[in-house]
Amino acid sequence: MTEEAGAHAIRGEAKGTAPVPFSVLDLATVGVGQTASDAFHTSVRLARLAESRGFTRHWVAEHHSMPGVASTAPAVILAHLAAHTSRIRLGSGGVMLPNHAPLAVAEQFGTLEALAPGRIDLGLGRAPGTDGLTASALRHTQNPRPEADEFPQQLLELTRFLDDDFPSAHRYHGRVHAVPGPVQGGDGSRPPIWLLGSSGFSARLAGELGLPFAFAHHFSAANTLPALDLYRETFRPSAELPEPYAVIGVSALAADGEAEARRQVLTGALSVLRLRTGRPGLVPTPEEAEAYRFGPAERDFVDGWLANVVHGTPDAVRDGLDGLVKRTGADELMITANAHTPDARVRGYELIADAYDLPSA
């Protein structure tokens, strides 16, 4: 991939009055009274809305053994979204690489690139996306958390498969190929690799390799500025990216009124509280969340969580997002809306688009 092509595939373009490009991070959430089919239907609605309103990309996260999250197989969901869209970039936010063989990931995303040429992003993380026991089941091993230094080696192997350029002395050279891929000819294009993280490890690695970096501000806000500083300080220009490009994930929900926004985001906060205390389940309804009797420690957790969720009227959300861009210098915002009600989530993105006068296609 040439430097010009790589940078073009990575960098978005701010639309309307937005300070930076906006994108969508989708967990395919499943609420009480809903099914996984409902969640995937909502994902299609979100992707179509995002495409029509000039959002840059729609990414799908990888999580496992969480009843309220249906995004266990990003590549499968992305293929479905590709069939229902035509322009927006689609990607993983991310594939948890230690859960998979690098060759399998290269094959999956080579397939996606063939299905939607020039529209696929491969975002990678090193966390399991689940608890330790589930991670051991995914990896079919008694060691669910491999050493951190295995991730760079896995990343290198994946990149070699995507480019089909193992060194001549390597046992895979000329013998093992990721298909679809360069061995079939074509222009040599492949999905750009992004590194995802919530601490300094991936920030430093992304900087040293000259890769774009996406930081999980929505659940690791205290680490955002140190990680972004580290990424920019360690960045080395690469063939794909001449200068740093940092995206931050932010939880945000706009509603027609402050009270309704609070009702909806409280459902997501209660869902996260239950997950963090070993009680994962479907995302509760607004009525259940309002009726829940929080203990003192639970209330502290929820208040802390909601402090990092940008929510309220469209004007309030706009002010919050603008302030976040100014504080962090982010090159792009990837917005996730963790709430129970599908219509409220879709409406939230629509209101944010309206607040920034994003054009309708």
Side-chain angles (χ1 to χ4, degrees):
M1 183 180 295
T2 65
E3 180 176 312
E4 181 179 357
H8 177 74
I10 292 163
R11 292 188 173 278
E13 179 181 347
K15 308 289 185 180
T17 59
V20 295
F22 287 167
S23 294
V24 174
L25 176 61
D26 184 7
L27 274 64
T29 52
V30 184
V32 171
Q34 302 163 16
T35 66
S37 295
D38 296 328
F40 297 141
H41 176 72
T42 301
S43 292
V44 171
R45 291 176 62 193
L46 287 175
R48 285 175 165 170
L49 173 67
E51 180 171 79
S52 70
R53 297 304 302 269
F55 285 66
T56 297
R57 57 191 106 238
H58 183 121
W59 279 8
V60 178
E62 177 186 342
H63 292 286
H64 299 278
S65 196
M66 299 178 186
V69 176
S71 58
T72 57
V76 178
I77 301 172
L78 293 173
H80 182 61
L81 296 180
H84 288 84
T85 57
S86 60
R87 299 183 309 277
I88 193 168
R89 296 195 66 86
L90 302 168
S92 54
V95 165
M96 301 295 103
L97 186 54
N99 295 343
H100 311 278
L103 175 57
V105 176
E107 290 174 336
Q108 291 166 6
F109 278 76
T111 300
L112 287 168
E113 181 67 22
L115 290 170
R119 292 207 290 139
I120 302 300
D121 297 325
L122 175 50
L124 300 168
R126 67 186 182 98
T130 188
D131 60 90
L133 184 61
T134 305
S136 68
L138 280 166
R139 301 168 187 178
H140 204 238
T141 176
Q142 296 302 310
N143 178 23
R145 299 185 183 276
E147 295 300 320
D149 60 8
E150 292 183 24
F151 179 77
Q153 182 61 37
Q154 292 171 320
L155 175 61
L156 175 60
E157 184 173 306
L158 171 59
T159 304
R160 294 291 195 192
F161 275 125
L162 288 170
D163 293 331
D164 200 32
D165 67 349
F166 282 97
S168 58
H170 197 283
R171 61 176 179 157
Y172 295 155
H173 176 76
R175 300 179 63 191
V176 182
H177 306 280
V179 178
V183 71
Q184 298 169 317
D187 60 6
S189 63
R190 59 135 167 104
I193 291 176
W194 295 65
L195 291 193
L196 282 60
S198 58
S199 65
F201 182 95
S202 292
R204 179 183 294 277
L205 185 60
E208 292 174 347
L209 296 178
L211 296 174
F213 178 55
F215 186 81
H217 172 81
H218 53 299
F219 64 80
S220 188
N223 292 325
T224 301
L225 292 180
L228 294 184
D229 287 344
L230 182 60
Y231 170 61
R232 292 164 181 146
E233 290 166 3
T234 58
F235 185 84
R236 300 173 187 169
S238 67
E240 294 189 23
L241 193 63
E243 57 188 22
Y245 193 83
V247 174
I248 59 173
V250 54
S251 183
L253 185 78
D256 293 299
E258 171 67 33
E260 179 58 20
R262 176 76 181 188
R263 275 182 90 238
Q264 291 295 334
V265 297
L266 185 60
T267 68
L270 178 55
S271 181
V272 173
L273 170 66
R274 287 172 168 170
L275 176 65
R276 295 286 180 87
T277 54
R279 300 171 291 156
L282 302 177
V283 179
T285 65
E287 293 75 19
E288 182 182 354
E290 287 180 321
Y292 186 85
R293 303 175 73 86
F294 293 94
E298 292 178 324
R299 174 56 64 185
D300 288 344
F301 174 88
V302 166
D303 288 346
W305 181 265
L306 291 177
N308 290 314
V309 178
V310 182
H311 63 284
T313 64
D315 287 343
V317 170
R318 176 175 177 149
D319 288 346
L321 296 179
D322 286 350
L324 187 58
V325 172
K326 290 179 181 178
R327 292 194 304 275
T328 63
D331 298 294
E332 184 176 327
L333 294 184
M334 186 160 283
I335 299 168
T336 185
N338 187 8
H340 169 273
T341 310
D343 287 346
R345 293 174 59 218
V346 175
R347 176 64 172 161
Y349 286 103
E350 186 175 36
L351 290 173
I352 290 173
D354 288 345
Y356 284 98
D357 296 321
L358 300 187
S360 297

